[in-house]
Amino acid sequence: MASVKISSGKSFNSAAGDSMLDSARAEGLTLEYSCRTGRCGVCKTKVLSGETEAFLDELSLSPEDNLNGYVLTCCRFALTDVEDIGALGDIKIRTLPCRIDALGVLASNVLQVVLRLPPNSRFTYLPGQYLDVIGPGGVRRSYSIANAQREDEKLELHIREVGQGVMSAYWFGAAEANDLLRLEGPLGTFSLREKDARNIIFLATGTGIAPVKAMLEQIKKAPETIMGKQIFVYWGGRTESDIYWQPELAQLAAVFAPVLSRASSSWSGRTGYVQAAVLEDGIDLTQSVVYACGSENMIFCAREVLQKAGLPERNFYADAFVRSN
């Protein structure tokens, strides 16, 4: 059993075969993470001293990352005492029963699902985080929470249909109001951070707009937190029908730019990809922080091209959607 010390000065024990991420969570500490499969790179961190061993392929690390001592905490356990990896803070993860409060159609292949929790359940989360819904037969799927904390504690999800998906068959063919489900959360570390950057850039593809919506609601409730900052929201889709939501930004210094990759001839808006649109707009990336949520391809490409254009590495936060059937 090895000890892992994090940047806050706290430490936790890491057992062989258990990821450092899971070991930290077991002791009430939350490290940065998203996919938990080694593919997204969100849990990438630098080990200053000590030895670790990988039991999963660290797919998102480059050869340069390996040479410079970076690891993925979801893929490794500690062999010796380790110092110094970062932590977000203490986030309490709970498993609770819930019921479907309402179902609505956002697009031909996207449902809005509102969940209600038992009275006085006090489910606390950061806008941007996600949860796991445990459905019929114990099938578990992850969905971003699409709203900031509400007084009635209801939770909004945006759920895209997946062809031949087991959970999609339930959502799009059998789900009804008052169905009893379970949820586990909050999960992930995708959330707004205190940064001195003048520009806040949101990038989303598909239902990756859901956590962005939640974070924008958080900002609207406390506009003083972004005084003097400019907000940019880029939302990528294939066709016009993919842009199923319109943000209300009148109270904010914000720009909303839907970007389509397969637009029809009648589309008069932006075309291409969201990361390219950011570069086209000439935003000073050295004074920016980026929050990106959506496909793995978008996350990887956006991180690479924006950092090459001047975005500080520590100012890119992401939640990559890893598809499950």
Side-chain angles (χ1 to χ4, degrees), residues 38 49-50 74 77 99 109 112 118 120 133 172 181 213 225 236-237 239 246 262 266 281-282 285-286 297 315:
S49 66
C74 73
F77 58 86
R99 290 190 182 274
N109 61 346
Q112 179 192 56
N120 301 317
V133 173
F172 288 83
L181 305 167
K213 174 179 175 292
T225 61
T239 65
Q246 181 70 36
R262 300 180 186 177
S266 62
D281 287 349
L285 294 174
T286 66
N297 288 340
N315 282 9

Side-chain angles (χ1 to χ4, degrees), residues 129-140:
Q129 290 188 287
Y130 68 93
L131 52 78
D132 281 358
V133 173
I134 305 165
V139 178
R140 175 189 294 257

Side-chain angles (χ1 to χ4, degrees), residues 301-315:
C301 184
R303 179 187 286 116
E304 181 179 4
V305 300
L306 297 182
Q307 287 179 359
K308 283 183 178 179
L311 180 74
E313 181 178 355
R314 291 289 186 179
N315 282 9

Side-chain angles (χ1 to χ4, degrees), residues 38-276:
R39 294 163 62 179
C40 73
V42 170
C43 70
K44 170 182 167 183
T45 192
K46 190 169 186 175
V47 173
L48 298 183
S49 66
E51 295 183 14
T52 63
E53 182 174 319
F55 61 91
L56 289 176
D57 290 337
E58 295 173 299
L59 300 173
S60 60
L61 291 185
S62 67
E64 184 179 3
D65 289 331
N66 292 323
L67 288 173
N68 290 327
Y70 286 96
V71 302
L72 300 182
T73 61
C74 73
C75 298
R76 286 183 175 263
F77 58 86
L79 287 172
T80 66
D81 289 353
V82 170
E83 182 182 5
D84 149 57
I85 58 178
L88 178 67
D90 298 339
I91 298 175
K92 305 302 181 185
I93 300 171
R94 306 173 64 194
T95 300
L96 295 168
C98 61
R99 290 190 182 274
I100 297 177
D101 189 71
L103 294 162
V105 176
L106 295 174
S108 60
N109 61 346
V110 180
L111 282 181
Q112 179 192 56
V113 177
V114 179
L115 303 177
R116 70 174 182 272
L117 300 171
N120 301 317
S121 58
R122 296 184 180 179
F123 183 80
T124 302
Y125 62 93
L126 299 174
Q129 290 188 287
Y130 68 93
L131 52 78
D132 281 358
V133 173
I134 305 165
V139 178
R140 175 189 294 257
R141 293 293 182 267
S142 300
Y143 304 104
S144 294
I145 304 170
N147 61 283
Q149 203 94 41
R150 291 169 37 163
E151 290 186 7
D152 61 11
E153 296 192 351
K154 291 179 181 179
L155 303 169
E156 178 185 344
L157 311 177
H158 294 180
I159 298 176
R160 183 175 296 277
E161 186 173 16
V162 176
Q164 300 182 341
V166 175
M167 199 65 170
S168 281
Y170 166 71
W171 289 124
F172 288 83
E176 295 181 350
N178 288 321
D179 279 3
L180 179 63
L181 305 167
R182 287 184 296 147
L183 64 81
E184 182 182 9
L187 301 170
T189 54
F190 190 54
S191 60
L192 292 171
R193 311 302 173 89
E194 292 185 8
K195 293 285 184 176
D196 292 333
R198 292 197 303 267
N199 305 308
I200 301 173
I201 303 172
F202 294 102
L203 303 181
T205 55
T207 52
I209 198 66
V212 173
K213 174 179 175 292
M215 289 190 280
L216 288 173
E217 289 180 2
Q218 177 187 9
I219 290 171
K220 287 177 68 175
K221 289 181 179 180
E224 68 278 1
T225 61
I226 50 96
M227 287 289 290
K229 298 180 185 290
Q230 176 75 50
I231 296 174
F232 300 87
V233 182
Y234 295 87
W235 184 16
R238 294 182 177 180
T239 65
E240 290 92 325
S241 63
D242 290 328
I243 309 301
Y244 58 78
W245 172 73
Q246 181 70 36
E248 298 177 2
L249 303 174
Q251 302 173 19
L252 304 175
V255 174
F256 175 56
V259 184
L260 300 184
S261 60
R262 300 180 186 177
S264 69
S265 58
S266 62
W267 174 253
S268 59
R270 306 289 290 273
T271 58
Y273 298 98
V274 288
Q275 61 271 20

